[in-house]
Structures are given as structure tokens and as C-alpha cells.
Amino acid sequence: MPDVLDASPYDALLLLSFGGPEGPDDVVPFLENVTRGRGIPKERLKEVGQHYFLFGGVSPINDQNRALLDALRKDFAEHGLDLPVYWGNRNWAPYLTDTLREMVRDGRRRILVLATSAYASYSGCRQYRENLADSLAALEAEGLELPRIDKLRHYFNHPGFVEPMVDGVVRSLAELPEEVRDGAHIAFCTHSIPNSAADTSGPVEEHGDGGAYVRQHLDVAQVIADAVRERTGVDHPWQLVYQSRSGAPHIPWLEPDICDHLEERRAAGVPAVVMAPIGFVSDHMEVLYDLDTEATAKAEELGLPVRRSATVGADPRFAAAVRDLVLERSAAERGREVAPCALGALGASHNLCPVGCCPARAPRPAAAGADSPYA
């Protein structure tokens, strides 16, 4: 039998994700949830939903979260970590408020949250914290006893997140024709966000050109590129590029876009490209459409060989990393000194989001941070 690991004072882990439609009839209601308050007409949402309809109206994200849930529960059980794992989404069933209500009724009072976003940004961190605050307010209005909620730190540079991506890039390079393999360029891909959101990502002292969001991605890309060089003996050139822009054309977003980048690389004589989606935890719709469909079609048009490396998904090393993060945070809450595990130059991220971290345009309450109304 494995030794019993101590997660106290926590009594549950909540996997918190974005959610996605699971059939054609779900697509427009899902997009209405995502865009609520922006006044976007239903006809426009149907146009946006074409990406989903190409895949039968089903986003793979929910099945991928189910696989991650299974991996986490298996890892915890095998290592003697007695911590139940729940799942809630921001924009589709199982909804966050429903899951938190279930957890409260199950007697959970100290909850750790794992968000399926590894980096600092408003949409990748604070917005999840705002959703937690909204759900806690709803439970408070129902007269339920509120649990204390803490969020696990950003895990972008944890070895259990980075090492599967290194393997993915090495495999993708090996899949390229031998004559173009050594000259291949690596395009590290992540979600584009408005420049203003990037510049204010992370704690206040990290605000500036690109903020913590860009710095964290650049740091991880360098770690992966260095590891790939050590594994293959080839120093592949690389660049951080962006995808999935969805904002108004007049608002500056992070660039270059992956399709523009492929055109530039082809014009520069690059013989092949590996697209490595380091900004995403799993192969959800923005990976399947923006990279596997749109960017791959652009590469074919250019006559440019490309491969797309895998995301971390439910890799056992990622599940082990989550266990490590849980035990690290639990020990810190019990007053023990811990040595956080992190690769690269930036070190481990903060446990508690400080005031001013990844601010919203209009201030809203956010749980699990220094400014939480639910301390």
C-alpha cells in the first residue's frame, strides 16, 4: 500500500475549465454563455459556431477534461493521496455553481482549484477567479455555508507540464521528412490576447510590454528549445507566435498570427515548421481548428511541410505535477517551508494573486486572491 500523503487542510480539488458544446444544438447556447453581456446577435454566433459544426457541433474539451479527471484520480489513488476531485466549467455543463453546490452539500470546506490555464492573464486566471466569486455569491444567496477556496499557482514551468511538450516536439520533428528535419523551425503557439491585457498580466511589478503573459511563454519556449537541442543535437530556430484572435480589428492584439508567420517563414526559405501549442493544456477546438485545420491548410497552400506537436492533455506526468502542486500548497498552508518545483529563469509563480494582478477593465469581485471578499 502507498504511504498516505497529507493534503490537509484541503478536503477537495476542483478542476475548473472553460467548457464546450457536446452536440449541434449546444453550439449557439454555449456561445451565448461565452459572450453574454456583449450584445452579439444570434446570427453572428451561428457564423462563429461554424468551427464547431465542422466537428459535428462537439468540442473535444469536455472529453479531454474527463480523461484528465480519470488521470488525476488514478494518480492520487496510486500514491495514497485521499483527495476527491470534482469538475466544473465556466460556460457549459457541468456548470461551476452546480459543482460548488454539490461540494458544499458533500461537506467540503477547504477547496483547491486547478484551472486549465497555465499562464497569467485576465482570461486565463482572474476571469476564473471572478467566476468563482459569482458562484460563491449565488450559494450565499441560497443560504449555504461557503467553503474557503484557494487556487493552485501557475504551472507553466513545472517539469510535469514542460516535459510532455518536449517529447511532443521531438516526435513531431522525427515525423518530418529527413531532408527538411534539421532545418525545421519551431513555432511555439499560444492564444493571442489584446496588447492591453498582456501588458497588465501578472502582478503590478511585472506589468509592461507583454507583461507576465509574454515573459512566461518566452521562458517556457526557451526551456523546451534547449531540451530539444539536447535530445536531437540540433539547435532549431524558434519564435513565439499567436492564434485564435477574436477581437475587433481596431484593437491591437499580440502578433504575429500563426498563418502570417508560416508565410514569412516560407518566404525566408525555412524548409519545415513544427507548431507547438504550448499555451494550451489539451487539444481542444482552438487547437483542432486554428492549427490542425486553418494553419495546416495555409502550410499546404505554401508547400511548407508542417507538423503539430501534442498538448499535455492527460499525460501521467501532468497528473503527477498536479499532485505535487497540491502537496506543495497544502504544506505551505500548514506553515511548512516548501521548495517549489520550476524550470527556467522565472521561478515558481505566487500562491496568492496579489491586488492589481491581471486587472479587468471594470472591477469585479474575484475569489482566491489577496483582494477576495471571500477570504
Side-chain angles (χ1 to χ4, degrees):
M1 292 292 292
D3 293 333
V4 176
L5 301 179
D6 188 2
S8 64
Y10 297 105
D11 54 20
L13 176 69
L14 167 63
L15 175 65
L16 176 56
S17 193
F18 193 81
E22 300 200 75
D25 293 341
D26 296 344
V27 172
V28 171
F30 163 73
L31 292 172
E32 287 175 331
N33 288 342
V34 174
T35 61
R36 181 167 286 115
R38 302 183 200 173
I40 299 177
K42 182 170 287 191
E43 291 308 311
R44 173 58 183 151
L45 295 179
K46 289 180 181 178
E47 293 176 17
V48 174
Q50 290 306 312
H51 294 181
Y52 292 96
F53 292 127
L54 287 173
F55 296 88
V58 178
S59 168
I61 193 170
N62 279 352
D63 276 346
Q64 289 162 3
N65 280 323
R66 293 182 183 102
L68 179 55
L69 277 173
D70 289 343
L72 292 172
R73 289 166 176 159
K74 181 175 185 289
D75 179 273
F76 288 7
E78 288 178 348
H79 290 85
L81 179 57
D82 184 16
L83 192 71
V85 187
Y86 295 74
W87 170 36
N89 290 324
R90 286 170 47 185
N91 298 299
W92 202 249
Y95 288 103
L96 171 58
T97 301
D98 296 336
T99 300
L100 280 178
R101 185 184 297 110
E102 176 189 0
M103 296 177 82
V104 168
R105 289 174 175 168
D106 286 349
R108 312 305 176 191
R109 294 295 175 260
R110 290 292 303 271
I111 298 170
L112 266 175
V113 173
L114 168 68
T116 54
S117 176
Y119 300 85
S121 70
Y122 171 73
S123 57
C125 183
R126 186 176 177 88
Q127 192 169 13
Y128 283 98
R129 293 176 48 226
E130 290 176 353
N131 296 143
L132 285 165
D134 291 343
S135 293
L136 288 172
L139 299 187
E140 187 175 38
E142 296 172 13
L144 295 177
E145 182 179 352
L146 299 187
R148 174 173 165 177
I149 294 179
D150 292 323
K151 180 177 174 291
L152 289 172
R153 65 175 172 89
H154 302 302
Y155 46 84
F156 62 92
N157 55 3
H158 194 287
F161 185 68
V162 174
E163 288 166 3
M165 293 191 290
V166 173
D167 287 351
V169 172
V170 171
R171 280 195 301 269
S172 293
L173 287 166
E175 292 169 0
L176 286 168
E178 187 175 358
E179 63 270 19
V180 300
R181 188 178 304 150
D182 286 354
H185 176 102
I186 305 172
F188 291 109
C189 306
T190 192
H191 205 302
S192 185
I193 61 175
N195 288 6
S196 58
D199 293 347
T200 56
S201 58
V204 172
E205 61 270 19
E206 296 183 34
H207 292 180
D209 187 16
Y213 185 75
V214 171
R215 281 193 288 277
Q216 289 172 357
H217 280 87
L218 287 173
D219 196 52
V220 171
Q222 185 66 66
V223 170
I224 296 173
D226 289 346
V228 169
R229 183 184 65 249
E230 292 175 6
R231 293 265 297 272
T232 66
V234 179
D235 191 7
H236 291 274
W238 62 270
Q239 186 171 339
L240 179 63
V241 302
Y242 302 93
Q243 62 176 89
S244 312
R245 177 188 169 130
S246 60
H250 68 281
I251 298 175
W253 281 50
L254 293 173
E255 296 177 336
D257 176 78
I258 177 60
C259 289
D260 295 337
H261 179 69
L262 293 176
E263 289 185 344
E264 293 166 359
R265 293 302 87 203
R266 189 54 164 165
V270 168
V273 172
V274 168
M275 301 181 292
I278 63 171
F280 306 93
V281 172
S282 64
D283 288 4
H284 53 56
M285 185 57 68
E286 286 165 321
V287 175
L288 291 187
Y289 183 80
D290 295 332
L291 294 183
D292 293 356
T293 305
E294 191 172 50
T296 299
K298 171 59 70 174
E300 290 174 356
E301 174 190 319
L302 296 168
L304 178 66
V306 295
R307 296 293 186 273
R308 195 269 292 174
S309 65
T311 53
V312 172
D315 190 290
R317 288 169 292 183
F318 182 46
V322 174
R323 168 170 40 89
D324 181 62
L325 291 167
V326 167
L327 296 174
E328 171 196 303
R329 183 61 182 273
S330 301
E333 288 295 308
R334 297 196 303 271
R336 293 183 56 187
E337 287 192 19
V338 295
C341 193
L343 301 174
L346 297 181
S349 184
H350 49 263
N351 271 336
L352 188 69
C353 292
V355 175
C357 192
C358 304
R361 292 181 191 170
R364 288 178 53 194
D371 56 354
S372 172
Y374 299 103

